[in-house]
Amino acid sequence: MSAAGTDAIPKSAYVEVEGLRRVFDVSKPWLNRVIEREPRQSLKAVDGVAFAIPRGETFALVGESGSGKSTVARMVVGLLPPSAGEVRISGVSMTDPRQEAARRRLRARIQMIFQDPYASMNPRWRVGSIIAEPIRAFNLIQGEAAIRARVGELLRLVGLHPDDARKYPHEFSGGQRQRIAIARALASQAEFLVGDEPTSALDVSVQAQILNLMRDLQDRFGLTYLFISHNLAVVRHMATRIGVMYLGRLVEVGPKAGIFASPRHPYTRMLLDAVPDLAHIGRARTPVSGEIPNPIDPPPGCTFNPRCPHANDRCRSEVPRLIDGVACHAVEEGRLPA
Ligand SMILES: Nc1ncnc2c1ncn2[C@@H]1O[C@H](COP(=O)(O)OP(=O)(O)OP(=O)(O)O)[C@@H](O)[C@H]1O
Ligand code: SF4
Ligand SMILES: [Mg+2]
């Protein structure tokens, strides 16, 4: 454990995230604020998030809609500047202006895979051009014949045929399009893939194929993944370690086996209880209901307190720190049933 009480960051970590925070200004336009006498409003989408991913491992972020998963992902890949905190990938800071040159060299190695691959493909381009685009942009291979050969090889790697290079994206199914997106990510010699719900829009059987493909490629090329999903069965299949997010904060972090076998945070327990085939036999169920609160006006103390059956006065006034992988006063005080 580090001095801050967060999870220790292994020295060999490929991705290191510390104290990550993002605040959005969600104020109404100036004139409305003046007329309605309303102050500026801000929304803390991510607050104090820290984790590390050793090379070749998968860190999965889970949590309900609006918990800040995509905001973390966008900051990690450099699509969104953090309000505070630090992201280092392969030792290179994603925020320090002095490391711009190193960051540029690293850019090709960091790729994001989205839920809807179609949205990120030019529908008028043939698949061969789509996959070759990063090869050309980063000048990775010279000569048209060599690029064509590499595209064919990439198509085979993701379970498609080299002839598919001549087709357009609309000629493929959703699962095949996700394969094309993965081939394009690999084309740029990616080392680190960030998947934001990459299989959520697919049929269950197709989901499994894509997840297996991602795992195979990880084993083969030593890829490092940040994997985002609200589906715990998917997370169980993919993750090495898991971070559970609630209203912008990590409430529990740990190895997959520990989180699934003995979840400690009441919110983690609620998530696992909600999935019938993952429910624990022999442990008393903790029924928790309710909605995620409005992030513009979160409850004081532990933001989970309105939904938590173990909340007390301390929970309603003091924000719990992440201690030994869990942020909960009841766990710290040892008053939570095992
Ligand atoms: N550009 C933005 N401007 C204002 N608020 C934003 C912006 N982007 C995200 N938010 C807010 O930040 C919070 C976290 O959003 P985020 O998309 O990261 O959640 P998520 O966990 O990915 O949810 P989902 O599972 O629905 O994808 C939400 O309350 C969201 O409304
Ligand atoms: S800190 Fe309190 S309210 Fe929050 S999860 Fe723990 S027991 Fe529940
Ligand atoms: Mg999201």
Side-chain angles (χ1 to χ4, degrees), residues 4-332:
T6 54
D7 236 27
I9 292 180
K11 283 219 163 35
S12 59
Y14 180 73
V15 179
E16 298 162 301
V17 174
E18 281 170 21
L20 203 59
R21 177 184 165 100
R22 175 68 207 205
V23 181
F24 290 111
D25 184 348
V26 289
S27 308
K28 287 185 184 166
W30 173 79
L31 192 58
N32 295 54
R33 287 206 313 275
V34 171
I35 293 168
E36 295 165 31
R37 290 166 185 269
E38 279 186 13
R40 278 192 169 278
Q41 281 193 316
S42 60
L43 185 156
K44 231 183 273 171
V46 172
D47 197 11
V49 166
F51 58 84
I53 322 178
R55 194 180 283 273
E57 294 196 357
T58 301
F59 185 76
L61 279 178
V62 291
E64 283 163 297
S65 182
S67 56
K69 306 179 298 294
S70 297
T71 306
V72 169
R74 289 166 65 210
M75 287 191 282
V76 167
V77 299
L79 284 175
L80 184 74
S83 306
E86 172 75 299
V87 176
R88 275 187 305 278
I89 299 178
S90 196
V92 177
S93 165
M94 300 305 280
T95 46
D96 186 345
R98 289 166 303 182
Q99 297 200 27
E100 180 55 37
R103 207 158 38 242
R104 218 174 307 122
R105 284 195 296 276
L106 192 67
R107 231 182 54 211
R109 305 196 178 271
I110 305 168
Q111 295 294 321
M112 199 150 173
I113 298 184
F114 297 98
Q115 182 173 345
D116 177 11
Y118 199 51
S120 62
M121 288 174 192
N122 187 334
R124 289 184 299 276
W125 281 20
R126 293 181 199 271
V127 162
S129 303
I130 290 172
I131 296 175
E133 199 241 353
I135 300 176
R136 295 198 169 100
F138 297 113
N139 211 13
L140 299 173
I141 298 175
Q142 276 75 42
E144 277 313 300
I147 292 176
R148 252 198 317 279
R150 175 69 178 144
V151 167
E153 187 187 2
L154 286 162
L155 282 165
R156 272 195 206 286
L157 263 180
V158 298
L160 296 171
H161 194 277
D163 290 347
D164 288 329
R166 287 200 290 269
K167 298 184 189 160
Y168 290 93
H170 75 262
E171 296 178 66
F172 295 89
S173 68
Q176 287 170 327
R177 281 203 285 263
Q178 204 54 290
R179 288 175 192 271
I180 296 166
I182 293 169
R184 182 176 54 181
L186 295 178
S188 65
Q189 298 177 335
E191 292 179 344
F192 177 42
L193 296 191
V194 177
D196 191 352
E197 306 271 6
T199 62
S200 304
L202 304 174
D203 290 345
V204 176
S205 61
V206 180
Q207 272 194 37
Q209 291 167 13
I210 299 295
L211 295 173
N212 285 334
L213 171 67
M214 288 185 73
R215 285 198 51 166
D216 287 350
L217 295 171
Q218 180 173 43
D219 290 345
R220 233 165 131 169
F221 301 112
L223 302 173
T224 307
Y225 288 158
L226 171 61
F227 194 87
I228 291 172
S229 179
H230 62 272
N231 183 333
L232 283 162
V234 166
V235 165
R236 183 152 71 164
H237 189 65
M238 296 298 288
T240 319
R241 289 169 64 78
I242 294 173
V244 181
M245 285 192 75
Y246 189 76
L247 228 61
R249 287 176 171 273
L250 275 175
V251 296
E252 185 162 1
V253 187
K256 172 176 68 176
I259 297 263
F260 278 96
S262 48
R264 291 183 295 159
H265 195 282
Y267 179 61
T268 314
R269 293 179 176 199
M270 184 198 93
L271 288 180
L272 289 175
D273 275 350
V275 185
D277 62 345
L278 296 177
H280 291 274
I281 300 157
R283 181 166 60 71
R285 280 190 172 213
T286 320
V288 185
S289 56
E291 298 282 310
I292 224 170
N294 180 356
I296 295 175
D297 185 21
C302 170
T303 52
F304 188 58
N305 83 68
R307 302 170 73 180
C308 181
H310 310 289
N312 64 12
D313 285 347
R314 186 184 178 201
C315 301
R316 284 182 278 272
S317 61
E318 189 186 325
V319 179
R321 288 188 313 129
L322 196 69
I323 299 172
D324 197 18
V326 62
C328 171
H329 296 313
V331 171
E332 187 199 342

